[in-house]
Amino acid sequence: MKTNFHINKPYTLLCQREKLLSILAVMLLFLLTALSQNAKAQITNWTGKNICGTVQPAPVPVINPDTILNGDSVVIIPVVFHILTQGGAENISNSQVLRALQFLNNDFNRLNPDTSGIPEPFHLLRGNPKIEFRLARLDPQGNCTEGIERIYTPLTGAFNNFLQMQPSFSWDHTRYINIYIAKWIDYQSSPLYSGISYQAPVDSDQNLPEQYDATMVLYERFGAWMNGAPTGMPDHLLAHEIGHDLGLKHTWGLASGCGDDDDVEDTPLQDDASDGCAVFPQISCNNGPNGDMFNNLMDYGCRNMLSQGQSDRMRICLENNEWRTSLWKPSNLAATGVDAVYPSCTHPPIADFGYGNDAAWLCAGTPVYFNEAASWSPTNFQWQFTGGIPATSTDSFPTIIFPESGSHLVRLIVTNTLGSDTMEKPVWIAPAEVTYAFSNNSMTESFEEPVFNQQIPQWQLAGKKWSVTNLAAYSGNNSIRLDSSLRYFSTFFTHSFDLNQITGTGRKLEFKVACGLSSSGIIAGGLRVTWKRPCAYSKGDVVGDPTNADCGPLQPGDAILPDSLRTAFINTPFIPDSSQWKTITMDIPDSLAGLIQIGFDWGSFTVTNKLKGIYLDDIKIYSVSSGIADNMTGSCWNLYPNPANDLLFISCPQFHGHTITVTITGITGNQVYVVKNINAQQLTINTRDFADGMYMVSVQTENFKDTKRVLIQK
């Protein structure tokens, strides 16, 4: 009997719940189409359905369920959850784990309530595995445990091989099922998996090396809690992965096509994974009249049932597999503390908490979500937030606003009848987002302002950081540059564009790009352009979830491939000259309004040195039809000197005959100067009392408005 190693991987990357044929999460929206034909399916876009991969070289025979483990009794199996964390959003609470465990037990005892969509012919085949998973109460050394351990490690998903960590963290896999909770999953040269699991053979003689024997699921798939209430439900992914752990294949077998099957008689022969909730019947492989069992837990559709044949197969696996047969035995239940006589385990609480979002970028003035992640059942929580509003809280999941940027100390004190414990962490809050100046019915990021450049939000998934550089620019002195590419994702976001200021029709995003590639090698990746709301950095926001009303890709379909961006072939580090730039233009949907940030996500799924440098400059949003009816332009008026010291001059011959208003604001929008109804060709402004910094100078007439920036530097 051969073995199978299963993974759940996203190719529409954001959190679309089902379709383990590609995730995320992580869940990354357009995976890119620059691979060879056999890899194309796994890198076409960055978004998150759910993908699975396998390593089973040969099929196994169909099992006729004529011997069923323990008859109608419920089988109990001890489990342990290992939370891999660095203290951020992935450090989920025990309550979230318990909730997900309840969902798992519902699925394996035919108690899940979401069954109204099961077609009647499949309802008749619905089975009940009668398997109950219990958190271990005794660890391998016989010490009391909650069955949930928090492991502070950089291996929160940023590793090249999921299997490398098993010997370090797993408990004896013949006594416990090991379930890992991670921030992201990297396996077989891709970080786009939502879940991964060993698929146990039903026979007992051909297991893979024991470090394969574990299951991992992304933390987002356990459901989110905010303000003490659930905002996201655990889904059936954990049940899907545990199904593999107990010997189940996907309903279509190991590969697409009608020549392979899942070796269960009452699940129809199926060509490939289902894509979402299909309309019954979904016919493939001549399996009419009922078609594919698209709602099966081992498919990627609307997962909500297991068949009787699958239930029998898992129980036979527990009976026959050498790594499973001891899990449910009375001696092991007693040794792991999950039998009828629970050990008396009491312990003072251990404080811990998680917070933030996937990008770990938190803005001043924007809610920050915290969650307790304490051990040993504390009954009281006392939070203290330096500089926060509110400054204290007794909630388990408080929401706090920090009006000022900088480092803020957060303290959590937890208490139960046996004692108390304290955890402190510094939390970094970035400045509030700023909005670009409006000029000639357009707004532009030109990377010329030092303050703006220091506050460019970035997100990396094992990628390199973008950096503002003066080595080359399309205009001015600066551009933003990615000098080369590590594997996976390198993302930056602009500051805020106010689309409500862009009038007229045909709104566009335009940017200049210079890209140097060597003439040899390949890049399985490209540049993806997305949008999101300011200061929103959940996984969906940073990868552009197309199902989310507050984020998404600006260009439908695949990312812009490197050859489409290339402006030079070069085998040394690339520094473009003035002729080595091109213009990229994208439409902005008419329905999109309000403040948005534009994201530029460079993805590469292979180790390569083909990229010798990519530069972006003059990121601009404008309207094709502006409706401005004046012969004035943004170039007609002068603002000097820049930088200014004590005096600032504004002049324009075309001001003659017009009544003008001049307004000066700081970069955060605070108004520091205004003068109205002036009829003059030149204006002198005393800036002696202005603080050093960047300012927006706005000039407005009856039918003209323009804004320029000036640096005050004494």
Side-chain angles (χ1 to χ4, degrees):
M1 184 84 58
K2 301 300 182 182
T3 58
N4 187 22
F5 194 66
H6 160 83
I7 55 183
N8 232 356
K9 172 177 181 179
Y11 52 72
T12 50
L13 184 93
L14 246 194
C15 21
Q16 293 184 9
R17 292 181 46 144
E18 298 347 327
K19 191 102 203 181
L20 295 155
L21 253 177
S22 84
I23 154 178
L24 233 207
V26 206
M27 293 174 176
L28 295 148
L29 245 164
F30 301 105
L31 280 193
L32 310 175
T33 58
L35 288 182
S36 60
Q37 196 64 27
N38 63 348
K40 201 169 182 181
Q42 87 178 19
I43 300 184
T44 14
N45 60 24
W46 250 256
T47 65
K49 289 184 178 178
N50 307 301
I51 258 194
C52 277
T54 58
V55 235
Q56 180 168 348
V60 294
V62 172
I63 290 180
N64 190 359
D66 55 358
T67 57
I68 299 176
L69 174 69
N70 289 344
D72 289 332
S73 62
V74 174
V75 179
I76 297 172
I77 297 177
V79 298
V80 56
F81 287 83
H82 309 279
I83 301 176
L84 306 179
T85 183
Q86 290 183 306
E90 76 284 350
N91 195 22
I92 64 175
S93 69
N94 283 12
S95 59
Q96 290 169 271
V97 174
L98 293 172
R99 210 156 149 259
L101 184 63
Q102 182 61 58
F103 268 62
L104 175 64
N105 281 323
N106 287 347
D107 284 333
F108 277 74
N109 288 274
R110 195 171 162 162
L111 295 174
N112 56 297
D114 55 336
T115 60
S116 59
I118 300 178
E120 184 60 28
F122 298 150
H123 235 306
L124 300 175
L125 300 174
R126 191 179 177 208
N128 185 355
K130 295 185 179 179
I131 299 174
E132 180 184 344
F133 302 92
R134 292 183 181 176
L135 290 174
R137 299 288 289 174
L138 295 174
D139 69 13
Q141 290 73 45
N143 300 314
C144 281
T145 179
E146 291 186 301
I148 302 171
E149 69 163 2
R150 300 178 185 278
I151 303 169
Y152 273 77
T153 171
L155 298 180
T156 58
F159 41 86
N160 291 329
N161 192 332
F162 163 71
L163 307 174
Q164 291 176 350
M165 68 180 194
Q166 303 309 318
S168 300
F169 302 137
S170 282
W171 295 4
D172 184 346
H173 65 109
T174 67
R175 298 175 58 197
Y176 309 85
I177 287 182
N178 289 274
I179 302 171
Y180 288 84
I181 301 172
K183 189 173 183 179
W184 57 286
I185 298 172
D186 175 0
Y187 180 69
Q188 293 182 336
S189 300
S190 177
L192 304 179
Y193 292 88
S194 57
I196 181 170
S197 184
Y198 176 74
Q199 182 171 298
V202 178
D203 292 61
S204 60
D205 59 347
Q206 290 193 7
N207 288 301
L208 291 172
E210 59 183 355
Q211 65 261 33
Y212 282 71
D213 193 10
T215 290
M216 177 178 279
V217 176
L218 292 177
Y219 77 94
E220 297 102 325
R221 305 303 282 263
F222 282 76
W225 286 65
M226 295 177 185
N227 295 328
T231 61
M233 301 296 286
D235 59 21
H236 297 285
L237 174 60
L238 181 57
H240 178 104
E241 301 298 349
I242 293 298
H244 287 300
D245 195 86
L246 297 182
L248 297 185
K249 296 181 180 181
H250 293 130
T251 50
W252 65 92
L254 299 178
S256 60
C258 300
D260 191 21
D261 193 22
D262 65 349
D263 305 316
V264 177
E265 288 187 333
D266 61 1
T267 59
L269 187 66
Q270 180 173 326
D271 176 57
D272 205 348
S274 299
D275 188 4
C277 295
V279 176
F280 178 82
Q282 177 175 284
I283 307 294
S284 70
C285 297
N286 297 314
N287 58 10
N290 298 326
D292 300 343
M293 191 179 284
F294 55 82
N295 60 298
N296 193 282
L297 280 173
M298 303 312 295
D299 197 351
Y300 293 164
C302 297
R303 296 177 291 202
N304 52 20
M305 66 162 278
L306 291 163
S307 74
Q308 186 58 50
Q310 289 172 315
S311 301
D312 296 338
R313 183 179 177 85
M314 287 190 290
R315 293 174 75 96
I316 292 169
C317 179
L318 288 169
E319 178 71 38
N320 293 340
N321 182 271
E322 61 180 334
W323 289 353
R324 302 290 180 262
T325 188
S326 60
L327 284 171
W328 48 273
K329 294 291 178 63
S331 58
N332 189 56
L333 302 185
T336 56
V338 300
D339 58 2
V341 182
Y342 269 42
S344 176
C345 290
T346 57
H347 197 285
I350 299 174
D352 200 356
F353 62 88
Y355 70 95
N357 52 48
D358 191 72
W361 184 275
L362 309 173
C363 294
T366 303
V368 180
Y369 302 104
F370 291 84
N371 62 274
E372 64 88 6
S375 301
W376 298 106
S377 303
T379 53
N380 298 100
F381 303 91
Q382 298 179 30
W383 297 85
Q384 299 170 8
F385 304 96
T386 303
I389 300 175
T392 62
S393 176
T394 57
D395 294 338
S396 303
F397 295 78
T399 300
I400 307 298
I401 291 177
F402 297 92
E404 302 295 332
S405 61
S407 182
H408 299 263
L409 184 67
V410 175
R411 177 183 294 111
L412 172 62
I413 304 171
V414 295
T415 307
N416 66 16
T417 57
L418 298 177
S420 65
D421 189 40
T422 301
M423 165 70 79
E424 292 183 345
K425 296 179 186 178
V427 174
W428 176 257
I429 304 296
E433 262 308 332
V434 294
T435 303
Y436 293 112
F438 179 82
S439 175
N440 253 6
N441 213 38
S442 67
M443 289 168 278
T444 303
E445 168 61 87
S446 57
F447 304 104
E448 299 301 315
E449 297 179 2
V451 174
F452 276 27
N453 294 340
Q454 294 169 10
Q455 299 172 2
I456 292 175
Q458 299 212 37
W459 175 77
Q460 288 83 40
L461 193 59
K464 300 187 72 172
K465 290 191 72 171
W466 293 78
S467 60
V468 175
T469 179
N470 61 5
L471 290 175
Y474 180 81
S475 67
N477 297 314
N478 297 331
S479 63
I480 194 167
R481 172 196 190 209
L482 190 64
D483 61 1
S484 59
S485 177
L486 297 177
R487 190 163 57 187
Y488 307 144
F489 301 100
S490 301
T491 305
F492 79 90
F493 292 90
T494 66
H495 299 297
S496 295
F497 292 94
D498 186 356
L499 296 182
N500 291 339
Q501 292 197 55
I502 305 294
T503 60
T505 60
R507 294 179 304 176
K508 304 285 185 180
L509 168 71
E510 176 186 288
F511 59 93
K512 311 298 183 181
V513 60
C515 180
L517 303 177
S518 67
S519 56
S520 61
I522 63 168
I523 292 178
L527 183 70
R528 187 148 187 274
V529 182
T530 63
W531 70 273
K532 68 173 190 63
R533 297 303 182 189
C535 286
Y537 293 97
S538 70
K539 189 159 290 177
D541 300 314
V542 298
V543 299
D545 178 6
T547 68
N548 190 329
D550 289 325
C551 64
L554 265 185
Q555 176 171 291
D558 299 329
I560 308 172
L561 298 182
D563 282 339
S564 298
L565 298 166
R566 176 181 54 80
T567 58
F569 276 125
I570 189 170
N571 293 318
T572 57
F574 177 53
I575 301 176
D577 61 33
S578 59
S579 68
Q580 293 173 315
W581 292 82
K582 66 167 57 175
T583 301
I584 304 291
T585 304
M586 296 180 175
D587 292 329
I588 295 178
D590 292 337
S591 59
L592 196 55
L595 296 174
I596 65 168
Q597 290 178 274
I598 301 294
F600 293 85
D601 189 359
W602 176 267
S604 182
F605 295 83
T606 59
V607 177
T608 177
N609 64 355
K610 186 175 179 68
L611 179 69
K612 298 303 180 181
I614 181 171
Y615 299 72
L616 302 178
D617 199 4
D618 290 356
I619 301 167
K620 179 180 181 179
I621 290 181
Y622 65 94
S623 172
V624 174
S625 173
S626 66
I628 294 180
D630 198 328
N631 59 0
M632 289 187 183
T633 67
S635 61
C636 86
W637 65 285
N638 296 314
L639 181 69
Y640 61 93
N642 194 358
N645 189 340
D646 292 337
L647 294 176
L648 180 66
F649 300 95
I650 298 173
S651 67
C652 176
Q654 290 175 294
F655 284 166
H656 180 69
H658 292 276
T659 299
I660 65 171
T661 297
V662 177
T663 306
I664 302 179
T665 60
I667 60 172
T668 58
N670 55 308
Q671 189 176 99
V672 298
Y673 178 92
V674 62
V675 59
K676 298 181 179 181
N677 301 324
I678 293 179
N679 191 334
Q681 293 177 274
Q682 178 167 303
L683 178 66
T684 302
I685 300 173
N686 188 333
T687 56
R688 187 174 294 109
D689 295 330
F690 286 27
D692 286 0
M694 190 66 64
Y695 292 85
M696 312 301 169
V697 181
S698 175
V699 172
Q700 185 171 1
T701 70
E702 305 91 304
N703 50 13
F704 169 80
K705 182 179 180 181
D706 195 25
T707 303
K708 294 182 179 181
R709 300 179 180 90
V710 63
L711 178 65
I712 304 298
Q713 196 172 53
K714 300 183 178 64

